[in-house]
Amino acid sequence: MASVRASLKAAKVAIDDRRYEDALTQVEQVLSLEPNNYHANVFRGLALDKLNRTDDALRPYRTATNAKAADPLAWQGLIGLLERQGQKKVDEYQQAAFRLAEIYKEADDQMKCQSVVEKLQLHVANHGTRAQQRRALDIFLPSNSLYEFIEGRVPYPSETYGKIADSLEAEEKAQINEEIAKRRSRLGARLEQVRRDVRREVLGNSALEDVYKESINWTRDDSQRREYEEKLLSHAYETLKVLPDDKKENKRVEVQELARGMVIIKHPFRLAWTIELEWKDCPSLDRYDITLLKEYMEFFPGDGVARVLRAYLDSEISPFTGTSDGETVSPQKNPTTSEQEFEETAVMSAEDRLVMMMDGVNDSPQSLLAHRVTVEYCHHLQEFEAAVETARKAQRILEGLVQDTGLRFENSLEAINVLLATSLIFYSAPRYFDEAESLFDGLLERNPRLTPGLVGKGQLLGAQGDHAAALELLEAALKCDPEDLSVRLEVSWYRALCGDYKTALEGLEGCFPRIKGTDSRSRRLKAETVHRIGVCLWNLDESSAARKDRKGAYARFLGALQADASYAPPYTSLGLYYADYSRDKKRARKCFLKAIELSSAEILAAEYLARGYADDGDWDLVELAAQRAIESGKTRPSPGSKNRGASWPHAALGIVQLNRQEYAKSIVSYQQALKVSPDDYHSWIGLGESYHNSGRYIAATKAFEQAQKVQSESTRGHVDDVWFAKFLSANVKREIGEYEPAVEQYSAVLAERPGDFGVSIALVQTLVEGAWHCIETGFFGRAAEYARRVIDVCIALAQDRSTAFNLWKAVGDACALFSFVHRHLKHFPASEVKVLLGTNGDSVGFDNLSQLDAVGWHDLSEEQPETDDPAILRRCLHSAILAHKRSVHASRSDIHARAVAWYNLGWTEYRAHVCLSPLAEGPSSKRSSGYLRAAVQCFKRAIEAEARNGEFWNALGVVTCAISPKISQHSLVRSLFLNDRNAQVWTNLGALYLLNDDLELANEAFSRAQATDPECAQAWLGQGLLARLMGEGDQSRGLITHAFEISGASVPLVRSQFALTVFDGLLAGRESQQATSLIHSLFALHQLHAQSRPGPAIEHLLALFSERARDYSAAGDHLVAVCDAAEQDYEVSESVASLTRFAQGKADLARVLLAAGDYEAAVESAETVLQLSATDDADGGATITDPEARQRCRLSAHVTAGLAYYYSHGVESMDEALAMCHAAIEETKEPADAVCLLAQLLSAKSGRPQQGVAIQKLLDTIAEGPSHIHSTILLGVIALVADDLDALDAATVELESLRANAAVADDDLRRIQDVLTTIASLCTSASSDESNGTSVARASERASTRASAEARISVMQHPFHPHGWSQLASLSSSDDAYLAQMALKTAQRAVPPQGPLSPETLARTYAAANRLKDMQSAIMVAPWLVDGWKGLSEMISG
């Protein structure tokens, strides 16, 4: 014991001397003996604390406090230790300080207790959280055990509660913001829902309301108490809004009690008053407490709700009646109020009052009462748009209130829905009828006897045209409320709408005396009732006398206007009276104007106005009337409505827009009209015209077809009116180039309306245009048929309208058209044209220019030619000239038509010059004919009449080209000055420069023409001719080919030049394999032959192309014609040129006869050529002076005669054939082909000597020209047949060299491969048999192997050539389908335009693939070959 004391004393001395380690040693000795020694633990804790071992110091202090809980020493040390740790041990510090304060309380030491508590508050305030601070403040509250001991030394509880409230408010706000920030970024989180959830969690667990209540209880300051009451109500209200529905009731009661308490004591807190007013669910506005409303206005005069209430309570529809001294009295209570309660006592207009209400609503966007009051007033003023908008806002406010408070607000919702549904009936009707019906159904389902619902549903059905159903509902409403005057009036009116005018009249007259009041609503009701009485009287007696009676319906209409001059329907009724019975259009128009000015729903007034303006031609006012009707929304009925919509406003608007050429807008207008009235014939017509004018021809055609269908099925219209739709449809088809359907429809219209001049002219013009189109596209027979039909129609038309300019223009065009279809000249109706031209006039204008063209009345007396084509051509052109002369005479009173008539006559004269001058004067004549001079005069007169027409100047430039190039140039330049975007004029100018050898200017002109119109074929042809003159052959051929591709059949020069270009290419070997070019050229020449009388050159060229197409019969006919023409020309002129052409024709004819198998005739023609081209012994000259032409003729004749001799008699005529071949070799400069022919003939003649001669000839030829492939191939074949191994080796070497040459053509390469493969196969087999005597099978196998090797070499050298793969596939020992497929693939890639592979080769490759589908493909590619048919037959049978 003594040692313990000594150690404690030593420890204290050490602590005093600040030797804490020594003190700690002494204390450890004591604690080893007495672990719970109080002073030892205190000294140990102090020493450790001084050594900054705070965590170790806590344990001995806690041991000491546990040992002596009532001793303050250890608690003081512990508090000091915890205080120095700051915010780390705030909670432990609070517990220790509170215990020390209680020890001082037990010791009755107030000073120390207060000191400890104050230090505690200071420390927690500096280092603690808000929650720790609030726990520290709890010591100052009456609920704490220390409060009574230190009362008076600490703050009053109200102050403490205030601090706690402030702390809780800040903490809740921070917590809400923090949680919202965390959760809003979660996937799928919605901000509004996150806010609601967070506020529910925080506010639902808040202790703030209890603090507010305690503050209210303890505070001594009334203003502070009111502040806390406001905070309490606000917090409770916010909590109520976020609570779940099952927990809202108790909180809602609490909030209502708090709010009611504030209202009772008249505390001006807006939230309390708002809750008291807004949460009342009154069925009508008169159930609200007027005193409460007035007190609200008094406390919050600038509030939006107060302004709305002030405007409403002072209005004519306010349910609170006014007293004489300005007081207002509630129907339920009669409190006395001050006269000065309302600040604004001046009477406002309805418009000002509405503006005041709308401003108040905008300032109070969450006030249900303000919106409800405003909706009712808007509905009263029939401001239905504002009523609908405000009611929808009220619905959204109601949804929010229901969600926030848990109240259902059934009465308020019912009242708002009634007002909204009723307003929707009249707002933008019938757009919202479905929504209104849904609202009424919901209201009546909840309360079937709801009078406003029954009335509203009845009005809705009435607006939809179902008057019987509407009357039934209104009568049910009247039974529910028999005293409702408005319902009784509606019942009477709907009886009138149902046709019971007598009963309706009695009901209306019985209700009228009950209408009292002078306000606007009463005046409108009086006017409406009086007007309806007038309508009943108007319809009860429909006689003219009764309706004219000014004391009847007319007086009622005027009476309605006297009651309310702003009511529109009486104006419409008066307008009908003045328009139909008083015949006062001026007054009627004024009435209708006033009606649509007051109400756009007066559709009938707008229609009468529009029709009147349309009769006056004032389309701007028509548009205004139609637009006004459309804006009313009454033109289109709602779905399911029995009312017929009004389509006329849209149709009228479409007419106006069509007249203004606003076609896109008119299309929309007519479509809208057809949506309302799908069977409106005239709207379909207008829609079709709009589509037509806007270029949408297919849509226009469909519209006109629908118009025909509608009118033919209609019972209201006349079927005869369908003709107009057919006529317009024909116009459309004519514009899009469908002339045959257009002609059929015009003919159908004429069948319905015979003699209609406009339709007849349209038919004639369509036939003429169709004829020219047929010429352009190459259908010459159809063009001639159209021309004949023009004559037939014009014969009937000329009987009544012989002075029509268009008639004679069409006749002239039809006659001139036959000059473009030479093959069909025999179909020209000369007698009919003669009769037609002589209709209703003797030599009417026929003598114009007759001194120049010698064409006049005497031409009509000539007899019609029988078969003489030139005479028929002359007759048709003269008829065309006479017809155009009649058109000039017919247009003498119209300067513009006269100019066009001279222009047409000029072109016809020029056409006659082009076609008839060569026949009359011979092909070599260059002098101007009378037709040309007449054409010049015609174009001059056209220019005199209309000098600014570029086409007239262009025509003058064309016809003066051969007469005066200067005049021609001036005319063409003048035309370009008037219109420099005319490509044809630029082309004509380029042609003029080309004819006068100015190539540079010609190139510039043609280039301008191409830039202006890239589709101008003549410009491309001009460039091609220029390129040919400059020696650029390839470029010329490309340009002329392009000109041919883009041109029509009406440009003969393009076709002839294209054929010449192709033939030149064929002669040069450039296009020998282009079958498409050959076919196009052949077709082009056939069209030329059909269009006009072809010259000898074109006829000869056509024969040559026919020969290449293997049409030997046609080629022979053409060549016979060429020879006959040359012979006739020679008989007249005896020129060498004619004789040369005859010899060339005979040489070509001999070749064609040889190909056709007529060998005797071929020999005869060839010998004729040889005789004509032989040397004349008399004078030592030649009959054909051109040596090149003579050589070609003789070579062709020798070869043809040699082959003809051989094929006619075979070996018997071999000597003659060989003689011809020898002669050909001697005369030609390039004898290789003739040598080959001689070698073939020698080889055909049996015997080795002849074969040896043939081989030697071929060897000599190859030595002179190694590039001649045919001689090398023939050498190999003859050497193989003759078994000449030396020649065969030489041929093999040459053939292998040629096979490796990439320049060899595909056909030659195929023949080289065949010969090499055959040589390898046959030579290998023969050598094996002779040397070893092996079996035939083994020899054949070795031959096949050698042949396959040759085929592989061919494949390796030419892998893209199909023939090598085909050979390899056929020689393969195994059935390898891969080789056949490769052959097929390479063949498919070598067909035109990718390659020159022939269809026969492709078909054989398909057949070699040995598959069913490939056999079918082979038949499709070349059905004339047996390979595909044979393979298909074997596969089907096998």
Side-chain angles (χ1 to χ4, degrees):
M1 189 68 179
S3 61
V4 170
R5 290 180 180 178
S7 296
L8 289 174
K9 186 176 181 180
K12 186 175 185 310
V13 172
I15 289 173
D16 292 339
D17 294 340
R18 298 182 179 180
R19 291 182 286 104
Y20 302 114
E21 293 290 347
D22 296 341
L24 193 59
T25 303
Q26 296 296 327
V27 171
E28 293 293 343
Q29 294 177 2
V30 175
L31 290 176
S32 63
L33 299 174
E34 296 180 7
N36 293 325
N37 187 284
Y38 178 77
H39 291 94
N41 280 293
V42 171
F43 290 157
R44 186 171 184 267
L46 180 59
L48 290 172
D49 184 15
K50 295 299 182 180
L51 292 174
N52 294 325
R53 296 167 61 184
T54 53
D55 293 337
D56 295 335
L58 287 175
R59 186 178 301 167
Y61 276 131
R62 289 194 177 112
T63 303
T65 55
N66 291 333
K68 290 184 179 182
D71 194 317
L73 180 61
W75 290 104
Q76 290 174 351
L78 180 59
I79 288 173
L81 176 62
L82 294 173
E83 184 178 3
R84 284 188 292 274
Q85 295 195 27
Q87 60 183 4
K88 294 182 179 179
K89 302 292 183 179
V90 175
D91 290 334
E92 290 85 343
Y93 180 84
Q94 280 185 299
Q95 294 173 4
F98 184 74
R99 178 57 185 154
L100 180 59
E102 285 185 333
I103 292 173
Y104 287 138
K105 174 188 174 184
E106 294 172 358
D108 197 21
D109 190 347
Q110 290 185 341
M111 294 294 293
K112 290 183 177 181
C113 181
Q114 179 184 355
S115 176
V116 171
V117 170
E118 289 176 351
K119 287 182 179 181
L120 170 62
Q121 297 297 330
L122 181 60
H123 180 76
V124 174
N126 292 331
H127 303 290
T129 62
R130 289 193 180 97
Q132 292 168 342
Q133 292 171 5
R134 290 195 300 273
R135 285 197 296 271
L137 289 173
D138 285 343
I139 298 175
F140 296 159
L141 298 179
S143 59
N144 193 275
S145 58
L146 295 176
Y147 178 74
E148 293 182 1
F149 181 67
I150 59 175
E151 186 178 3
R153 294 178 178 269
V154 293
Y156 191 70
S158 63
E159 183 181 349
T160 304
Y161 279 119
K163 293 180 179 180
I164 294 174
D166 293 340
S167 176
L168 285 171
E169 288 173 358
E171 184 175 8
E172 286 183 2
K173 183 177 180 180
Q175 185 178 0
I176 289 172
N177 292 336
E178 183 180 354
E179 287 297 321
I180 290 175
K182 287 181 181 178
R183 300 185 188 183
R184 68 184 300 178
S185 59
R186 293 177 181 175
L187 187 63
R190 291 183 295 113
L191 181 58
E192 188 61 32
Q193 186 61 38
V194 168
R195 288 175 178 171
R196 196 172 187 87
D197 292 343
V198 171
R199 292 175 66 84
R200 182 188 301 116
E201 295 173 6
V202 175
L203 298 181
N205 298 321
S206 175
L208 191 55
E209 293 182 22
D210 295 333
V211 175
Y212 288 148
K213 292 176 182 178
E214 292 296 333
S215 298
I216 294 169
N217 293 335
W218 283 96
T219 185
R220 298 169 182 173
D221 186 357
D222 289 341
S223 62
Q224 192 175 30
R225 181 179 293 107
R226 298 292 176 261
E227 180 184 353
Y228 285 121
E229 287 175 350
E230 292 176 0
K231 289 185 175 182
L232 175 60
L233 177 59
S234 299
H235 193 278
Y237 177 68
E238 294 298 326
T239 305
L240 172 65
K241 290 198 297 184
V242 297
L243 285 176
D245 293 340
D246 57 346
K247 297 180 180 180
K248 283 184 181 292
E249 185 175 358
N250 294 333
K251 179 60 71 174
R252 182 176 63 247
V253 171
E254 178 184 348
V255 171
Q256 287 177 318
E257 289 178 353
L258 291 171
R260 189 174 296 111
M262 290 186 179
V263 171
I264 290 173
I265 64 174
K266 294 183 174 50
H267 176 56
F269 182 48
R270 182 177 282 110
L271 178 59
W273 289 85
T274 299
I275 291 172
E276 187 67 16
L277 284 177
E278 300 289 345
W279 289 14
K280 286 186 179 298
D281 187 23
C282 298
S284 60
L285 294 178
D286 60 4
R287 303 296 293 273
Y288 279 89
D289 186 356
I290 182 58
T291 304
L292 185 64
L293 298 178
K294 292 171 66 177
E295 288 176 349
Y296 184 89
M297 291 187 291
E298 180 181 358
F299 287 128
F300 313 104
D303 186 65
V305 179
R307 294 205 299 275
V308 172
L309 292 175
R310 186 174 299 112
Y312 175 72
L313 294 177
D314 194 36
S315 68
E316 65 274 15
I317 66 170
S318 173
F320 307 102
T321 57
T323 61
S324 60
D325 57 356
E327 296 177 351
T328 58
V329 183
S330 170
Q332 296 177 341
K333 302 178 182 180
N334 296 313
T336 59
T337 57
S338 172
E339 295 182 2
Q340 303 298 326
E341 284 190 86
F342 292 103
E343 296 179 2
E344 298 179 4
T345 56
V347 178
M348 293 186 296
S349 65
E351 291 77 9
D352 293 338
R353 187 173 288 108
L354 181 59
V355 170
M356 185 175 180
M357 285 186 174
M358 296 306 296
D359 291 341
V361 166
N362 293 333
D363 291 343
S364 304
Q366 299 301 320
S367 174
L368 175 62
L369 177 61
H371 283 78
R372 181 175 175 182
V373 169
T374 305
V375 170
E376 185 166 327
Y377 193 71
C378 291
H379 184 270
H380 164 69
L381 296 181
Q382 296 186 0
E383 294 288 342
F384 298 115
E385 182 178 1
V388 169
E389 181 180 352
T390 310
R392 294 192 192 279
K393 291 180 181 178
Q395 284 182 329
R396 291 192 289 271
I397 294 171
L398 263 175
E399 292 177 1
L401 283 175
V402 171
Q403 184 179 10
D404 292 343
T405 66
L407 295 172
R408 299 182 64 182
F409 292 100
E410 294 180 352
N411 294 326
S412 299
L413 181 60
E414 181 181 279
I416 291 172
N417 283 345
V418 167
L419 293 171
L420 174 59
T422 308
S423 300
L424 288 174
I425 297 174
F426 305 101
Y427 171 55
S428 296
R431 181 178 180 182
Y432 299 106
F433 279 2
D434 292 340
E435 183 181 355
E437 184 176 4
S438 176
L439 289 172
F440 282 128
D441 290 341
L443 291 168
L444 294 176
E445 182 179 359
R446 179 173 173 269
N447 184 5
R449 296 178 61 82
L450 181 65
T451 302
L454 292 171
V455 174
K457 183 68 178 294
Q459 291 176 333
L460 175 62
L461 293 174
Q464 293 178 335
D466 194 353
H467 299 138
L471 179 60
E472 183 179 350
L473 285 175
L474 290 170
E475 288 177 343
L478 186 60
K479 291 179 181 178
C480 297
D481 191 358
E483 300 301 323
D484 194 327
L485 180 61
S486 61
V487 177
R488 188 172 294 277
L489 287 171
E490 288 296 319
V491 169
S492 299
W493 176 239
Y494 274 95
R495 284 174 180 163
L497 294 177
C498 291
D500 190 0
Y501 296 107
K502 185 176 181 180
T503 306
L505 180 61
E506 294 174 355
L508 291 170
E509 290 178 340
C511 293
F512 181 72
R514 297 174 55 187
I515 303 175
K516 307 295 183 182
T518 58
D519 58 281
S520 61
R521 190 173 187 178
S522 299
R523 291 196 304 271
R524 174 58 58 87
L525 189 59
K526 286 181 182 180
E528 188 177 276
T529 305
V530 174
H531 175 256
R532 290 177 176 180
I533 292 173
V535 172
C536 292
L537 290 173
W538 183 272
N539 291 286
L540 271 175
D541 190 354
E542 297 182 356
S543 64
S544 178
R547 291 190 171 182
K548 287 182 179 180
D549 186 7
R550 288 180 175 268
K551 296 182 180 180
Y554 173 78
R556 302 305 191 280
F557 297 150
L558 287 179
L561 293 179
Q562 291 171 358
D564 187 355
S566 64
Y567 186 50
Y571 288 104
T572 302
S573 300
L574 283 174
L576 292 174
Y577 170 82
Y578 287 126
D580 296 339
Y581 296 98
S582 183
R583 303 300 179 185
D584 191 343
K585 292 185 177 180
K586 186 175 181 180
R587 287 187 177 181
R589 180 168 293 183
K590 288 182 178 180
C591 290
F592 291 139
L593 274 172
K594 187 65 175 178
I596 65 171
E597 178 184 343
L598 292 172
S599 174
S600 61
E602 295 300 314
I603 305 298
L604 186 59
E607 183 177 4
Y608 268 82
L609 270 180
R611 292 184 184 278
Y613 291 139
D615 293 339
D616 297 340
D618 196 341
W619 296 108
D620 291 337
L621 293 179
V622 171
E623 180 185 17
L624 289 176
Q627 197 65 46
R628 180 70 170 166
I630 292 172
E631 290 173 356
S632 70
K634 300 285 187 180
T635 58
R636 182 182 298 180
S638 62
S641 173
K642 294 184 179 181
N643 288 331
R644 287 186 58 86
S647 62
W648 71 263
H650 300 284
L653 201 59
I655 294 173
V656 174
Q657 292 160 347
L658 195 60
N659 290 335
R660 293 177 180 171
Q661 299 183 0
E662 297 175 350
Y663 303 121
K665 294 181 179 179
S666 66
I667 289 172
V668 175
S669 297
Y670 281 119
Q671 287 175 340
Q672 295 293 334
L674 290 170
K675 287 180 181 178
V676 179
S677 300
D679 57 347
D680 188 352
Y681 169 77
H682 296 287
S683 294
W684 282 111
I685 292 295
L687 180 62
E689 287 190 86
S690 301
Y691 279 135
H692 179 199
N693 293 327
S694 63
R696 299 168 63 179
Y697 299 112
I698 303 302
T701 302
K702 292 181 179 179
F704 290 135
E705 290 175 354
Q706 185 64 25
Q708 298 175 44
K709 180 180 178 182
V710 166
Q711 190 67 358
S712 61
E713 295 176 354
S714 174
T715 59
R716 295 182 289 109
H718 299 288
V719 178
D720 295 340
D721 294 340
V722 178
W723 75 270
F724 190 61
K726 292 180 180 178
F727 177 73
L728 294 177
S729 179
N731 289 342
V732 174
K733 292 186 179 299
R734 170 186 170 187
E735 287 200 28
I736 62 178
E738 296 181 3
Y739 297 106
E740 187 65 29
V743 168
E744 292 177 359
Q745 291 188 344
Y746 283 133
S747 302
V749 174
L750 279 178
E752 298 177 9
R753 298 171 58 85
D756 191 305
F757 177 73
V759 179
S760 299
I761 285 295
L763 174 60
V764 168
Q765 291 175 341
T766 304
L767 287 169
V768 172
E769 292 175 10
W772 288 117
H773 178 73
C774 290
I775 289 179
E776 180 73 21
T777 53
F779 295 96
F780 305 121
R782 188 178 299 174
E785 179 185 351
Y786 279 166
R788 286 187 60 89
R789 292 185 63 179
V790 170
I791 302 300
D792 295 338
V793 177
C794 289
I795 288 174
L797 192 59
Q799 301 299 324
D800 300 325
R801 302 291 292 272
S802 60
T803 59
F805 161 73
N806 291 335
L807 168 68
W808 298 112
K809 176 185 179 301
V811 173
D813 290 344
C815 293
L817 189 141
F818 278 95
S819 67
F820 291 89
V821 286
H822 182 269
R823 184 179 297 175
H824 301 278
L825 278 173
K826 59 181 178 294
H827 300 299
F828 177 69
S831 58
E832 289 87 342
V833 172
K834 178 179 178 181
V835 173
L836 176 59
L837 291 173
T839 304
N840 296 336
D842 296 333
S843 66
V844 183
F846 290 154
D847 294 332
N848 280 329
L849 304 179
S850 59
Q851 68 277 12
L852 296 178
D853 58 12
V855 178
W857 176 255
H858 61 278
D859 283 83
L860 296 178
S861 60
E862 294 182 4
E863 294 296 330
Q864 178 183 356
E866 295 293 334
T867 57
D868 188 2
D869 284 351
I872 298 177
L873 179 63
R874 181 179 295 104
R875 170 58 63 89
C876 74
L877 286 171
H878 285 184
S879 299
I881 292 174
L882 293 174
H884 283 299
K885 287 183 177 181
R886 281 207 70 169
S887 72
V888 171
H889 179 76
S891 61
R892 60 187 180 276
S893 59
D894 187 345
I895 186 171
H896 298 291
R898 186 168 71 251
V900 175
W902 282 114
Y903 174 76
N904 295 332
L905 177 59
W907 277 123
T908 308
E909 296 278 7
Y910 185 70
R911 180 64 182 170
H913 164 71
V914 171
C915 295
L916 300 181
S917 292
L919 297 178
E921 301 175 4
S924 60
S925 176
K926 295 184 179 180
R927 75 176 187 85
S928 301
S929 68
Y931 303 114
L932 185 60
R933 294 194 299 273
V936 172
Q937 291 299 318
C938 290
F939 291 133
K940 285 182 178 180
R941 294 185 183 183
I943 292 172
E944 290 174 359
E946 191 174 344
R948 297 193 62 80
N949 192 316
E951 294 293 336
F952 297 170
W953 287 101
N954 173 57
L956 181 62
V958 171
V959 299
T960 57
C961 177
I963 300 175
S964 175
K966 291 183 178 181
I967 296 177
S968 177
Q969 181 185 19
H970 170 75
S971 301
L972 293 173
V973 171
R974 179 64 179 174
S975 176
L976 291 173
F977 172 77
L978 295 172
N979 180 17
D980 63 348
R981 302 297 299 172
N982 193 327
Q984 191 61 50
V985 181
W986 283 109
T987 304
N988 293 336
L989 184 61
L992 175 65
Y993 291 142
L994 184 62
L995 291 174
N996 290 275
D997 297 329
D998 195 336
L999 302 185
E1000 184 177 356
L1001 289 178
N1003 180 49
E1004 292 181 6
F1006 288 136
S1007 299
R1008 284 294 300 272
Q1010 289 172 318
T1012 303
D1013 182 10
E1015 298 297 321
C1016 183
Q1018 293 90 333
W1020 290 94
L1021 175 63
Q1023 290 283 28
L1025 296 176
L1026 276 175
R1028 181 185 297 173
L1029 292 175
M1030 295 178 181
E1032 298 176 357
D1034 294 338
Q1035 184 179 1
S1036 173
R1037 183 169 60 257
L1039 290 170
I1040 294 176
T1041 301
H1042 180 68
F1044 171 77
E1045 291 172 350
I1046 63 176
S1047 68
S1050 61
V1051 191
L1053 183 60
V1054 174
R1055 271 152 166 64
S1056 61
Q1057 291 299 320
F1058 172 72
L1060 289 172
T1061 302
V1062 173
F1063 192 76
D1064 290 342
L1066 292 174
L1067 293 180
R1070 291 190 298 267
E1071 302 187 26
S1072 59
Q1073 302 297 329
Q1074 293 294 334
T1076 54
S1077 298
L1078 177 64
I1079 294 172
H1080 288 163
S1081 302
L1082 190 59
F1083 285 165
L1085 291 173
H1086 275 298
Q1087 287 180 340
L1088 282 175
H1089 194 269
Q1091 277 186 276
S1092 59
R1093 186 182 183 90
I1098 298 300
E1099 191 90 39
H1100 200 164
L1101 186 62
L1102 179 57
L1104 295 177
F1105 274 110
S1106 299
E1107 179 189 4
R1108 286 182 175 268
R1110 300 180 184 179
D1111 187 1
Y1112 303 118
S1113 176
D1117 294 339
H1118 292 307
L1119 288 171
V1120 169
V1122 169
C1123 293
D1124 292 343
E1127 185 177 3
Q1128 293 176 4
D1129 188 28
Y1130 182 78
E1131 290 176 355
V1132 175
S1133 62
E1134 294 186 356
S1135 64
V1136 176
S1138 300
L1139 185 61
T1140 302
R1141 286 201 305 274
F1142 179 80
Q1144 289 174 337
K1146 277 294 184 179
D1148 293 337
L1149 179 60
R1151 189 173 62 252
V1152 170
L1153 292 173
L1154 174 64
D1158 192 352
Y1159 305 120
E1160 298 293 340
V1163 170
E1164 181 182 353
S1165 297
E1167 289 179 348
T1168 301
V1169 173
L1170 292 174
Q1171 292 174 3
L1172 292 175
S1173 59
T1175 302
D1176 192 347
D1177 296 336
D1179 53 8
T1183 56
I1184 301 177
T1185 58
D1186 186 358
E1188 184 178 354
R1190 177 178 178 275
Q1191 182 182 356
R1192 285 200 302 269
C1193 288
R1194 292 187 64 80
L1195 176 61
S1196 176
H1198 281 303
V1199 172
T1200 303
L1203 291 174
Y1205 277 125
Y1206 173 74
Y1207 286 115
S1208 60
H1209 300 289
V1211 180
E1212 298 177 2
S1213 301
M1214 184 63 70
D1215 294 336
E1216 291 85 347
L1218 292 174
M1220 288 293 178
C1221 291
H1222 282 293
I1225 293 172
E1226 292 173 358
E1227 293 189 13
T1228 183
K1229 296 179 181 179
E1230 298 178 356
D1233 291 327
V1235 170
C1236 289
L1237 177 61
L1238 177 61
Q1240 287 175 299
L1241 291 175
L1242 291 173
S1243 177
K1245 190 175 183 179
S1246 301
R1248 282 188 174 273
Q1250 289 79 7
Q1251 292 176 346
V1253 173
I1255 291 172
Q1256 188 59 44
K1257 289 281 187 184
L1258 290 173
L1259 288 173
D1260 295 341
T1261 301
I1262 294 172
E1264 294 177 2
S1267 60
H1268 196 264
I1269 299 174
H1270 183 59
S1271 58
T1272 306
I1273 296 174
L1274 187 60
L1275 174 62
V1277 173
I1278 295 177
L1280 186 61
V1281 172
D1283 199 15
D1284 189 339
L1285 297 180
D1286 295 334
L1288 194 60
D1289 291 339
T1292 302
V1293 172
E1294 291 294 331
L1295 288 173
E1296 288 177 347
S1297 175
L1298 289 173
R1299 182 173 61 180
N1301 189 352
V1304 177
D1306 290 344
D1307 284 348
D1308 293 334
L1309 182 63
R1310 178 177 58 82
R1311 288 185 292 168
I1312 290 171
Q1313 291 173 353
D1314 289 340
V1315 172
L1316 286 174
T1317 303
T1318 304
I1319 291 174
S1321 175
L1322 294 179
C1323 290
T1324 302
S1325 176
S1327 61
S1328 298
D1329 292 342
E1330 293 173 0
S1331 60
N1332 300 325
T1334 56
S1335 64
V1336 175
R1338 185 173 182 83
S1340 176
E1341 181 179 356
R1342 296 186 63 181
S1344 177
T1345 302
R1346 178 59 182 162
S1348 297
E1350 287 293 335
R1352 288 190 181 93
I1353 294 173
S1354 299
V1355 170
M1356 292 298 295
Q1357 290 180 343
H1358 303 280
F1360 294 103
H1361 196 280
H1363 188 69
W1365 290 100
S1366 299
Q1367 276 190 331
L1368 188 59
S1370 62
L1371 295 172
S1372 179
S1373 58
S1374 61
D1375 189 10
D1376 193 350
Y1378 172 75
L1379 296 174
Q1381 290 301 316
M1382 283 300 301
L1384 181 58
K1385 289 181 179 180
T1386 53
Q1388 289 173 340
R1389 294 176 181 176
V1391 297
Q1394 298 175 349
L1397 192 69
S1398 64
E1400 292 85 357
T1401 304
L1402 180 61
R1404 292 189 183 96
T1405 308
Y1406 269 117
N1410 201 27
R1411 293 187 304 183
L1412 180 61
K1413 66 176 184 178
D1414 293 326
M1415 295 296 179
Q1416 294 171 337
S1417 298
I1419 294 172
M1420 291 297 297
V1421 171
W1424 56 87
L1425 289 182
V1426 299
D1427 301 61
W1429 294 103
K1430 183 177 179 182
L1432 181 63
S1433 176
E1434 292 176 354
M1435 298 189 83
I1436 293 175
S1437 60

